[in-house]
Amino acid sequence: YIIDYSNSVLDRLRSEKQTYLINIGTSILCPCKPLMDIWSNLGNKLSNFKIKIIPFDDDNKSILNTIEGLGNNIDLIVSSCDSKSWLNICNFHKLGDYHFCIAIPKKHYLSKREIIHLSDLKGQTVMIMKEGESKSNTLLRNDIEKFALSSQIIDAPYFYDLETFNKAEENGTLLITLDCWKDLHPSLVTLPLDTKYKIPYGILYSKNPKKEVLEFLKLIKD
């Protein structure tokens, strides 16, 4: 009787769905909304998962430590990613592409345009990521140097944070940015940039992910 009863209990436990907790990081420049939209669309397929949203600081001094620590307090982060440093310390599952834009102080005459061409940047001061970290940013930087010969190029840090946008606004500088950050700074107008280059975005996760994280990602990939 005891053996039969034990087996029936085990059968019931096996038939019940186990619930897993996934910790998803969110910040000003790395909002979790794209992943939450997927969550909503998948509905019952993710019924055995629960999520916890964890805010984190994305300033350029601490972001590498946050990425390297994935799998501890935070399991997943959604972000643009064309970074050699990031891809060396985490895994990346692509969801799509972001488009390059240019953030312009509202008082600047170019802010009234609908789209900015590289030739419009002649004679302008343009802030863009330093060379070497992002292939797409480096290619775009080379094109700006080629088609806007008299422009002055200022190095932006490898990893943007809110201070990067503040500095552009304070100095009246044009800032190469992405369409996902178009509403980040109220004093900057973000316009599409006429270029063929894009930046991939997707899910960052640990090089050694937990079993539940792999199961969660498999559902998303499928």
Side-chain angles (χ1 to χ4, degrees), residues 29-94:
L29 273 76
C30 302
C32 63
K33 186 180 183 303
L35 190 51
M36 294 301 93
D37 291 341
I38 294 173
W39 178 280
S40 299
N41 291 333
L42 286 175
N44 291 333
K45 292 182 180 180
L46 293 175
S47 60
N48 57 326
F49 290 95
K50 289 186 177 180
I51 59 169
K52 183 177 182 181
I53 306 300
I54 299 180
F56 68 93
D57 193 350
D58 57 11
D59 70 88
N60 60 43
K61 295 179 181 178
S62 63
I63 189 64
L64 270 179
N65 289 332
T66 301
I67 301 299
E68 194 168 20
L70 285 169
N72 297 323
N73 295 330
I74 297 174
D75 296 313
L76 309 173
I77 290 174
V78 180
S79 176
S80 58
C81 186
D82 187 26
S83 163
K84 293 180 180 179
S85 299
W86 288 17
L87 293 174
N88 282 335
I89 58 177
C90 75
N91 283 322
F92 176 68
H93 172 64
K94 182 179 175 180

Side-chain angles (χ1 to χ4, degrees), residues 3-188:
I3 291 173
D4 289 342
Y5 184 78
S6 298
N7 288 335
S8 69
V9 170
L10 290 172
D11 288 340
R12 288 201 306 272
L13 288 173
R14 291 190 189 101
S15 66
E16 291 178 2
K17 285 187 177 180
Q18 187 171 355
T19 301
Y20 299 111
L21 178 65
I22 303 293
N23 295 321
I24 300 175
T26 192
S27 69
I28 294 175
L29 273 76
C30 302
C32 63
K33 186 180 183 303
L35 190 51
M36 294 301 93
D37 291 341
I38 294 173
W39 178 280
S40 299
N41 291 333
L42 286 175
N44 291 333
K45 292 182 180 180
L46 293 175
S47 60
N48 57 326
F49 290 95
K50 289 186 177 180
I51 59 169
K52 183 177 182 181
I53 306 300
I54 299 180
F56 68 93
D57 193 350
D58 57 11
D59 70 88
N60 60 43
K61 295 179 181 178
S62 63
I63 189 64
L64 270 179
N65 289 332
T66 301
I67 301 299
E68 194 168 20
L70 285 169
N72 297 323
N73 295 330
I74 297 174
D75 296 313
L76 309 173
I77 290 174
V78 180
S79 176
S80 58
C81 186
D82 187 26
S83 163
K84 293 180 180 179
S85 299
W86 288 17
L87 293 174
N88 282 335
I89 58 177
C90 75
N91 283 322
F92 176 68
H93 172 64
K94 182 179 175 180
L95 296 174
D97 293 293
Y98 288 141
H99 297 271
F100 278 107
C101 293
I102 189 157
I104 305 172
K106 285 186 174 180
K107 295 180 180 179
H108 197 286
Y109 73 91
L110 286 177
S111 68
K112 305 298 188 282
R113 304 281 181 88
E114 292 185 0
I115 187 172
I116 300 297
H117 302 278
L118 295 183
S119 58
D120 296 326
L121 303 180
K122 289 181 179 179
Q124 303 297 327
T125 302
V126 182
M127 188 185 299
I128 186 172
M129 183 187 294
K130 294 184 287 185
E131 293 183 78
E133 180 68 21
S134 160
K135 180 180 178 181
S136 297
N137 273 281
T138 299
L139 290 171
L140 177 56
R141 183 184 179 116
N142 292 339
D143 277 5
I144 293 174
E145 291 174 344
K146 180 180 178 181
F147 294 105
L149 297 177
S150 60
S151 62
Q152 179 185 357
I153 296 181
I154 298 176
D155 288 337
Y158 282 147
F159 314 122
Y160 282 23
D161 57 15
L162 194 55
E163 186 56 32
T164 308
F165 292 82
N166 286 334
K167 189 174 294 185
E169 195 277 330
E170 290 168 7
N171 298 332
T173 306
L174 310 186
L175 175 66
I176 300 299
T177 182
L178 299 174
D179 52 357
C180 59
W181 298 331
K182 62 184 178 66
D183 299 319
L184 202 61
H185 198 293
S187 297
L188 296 173

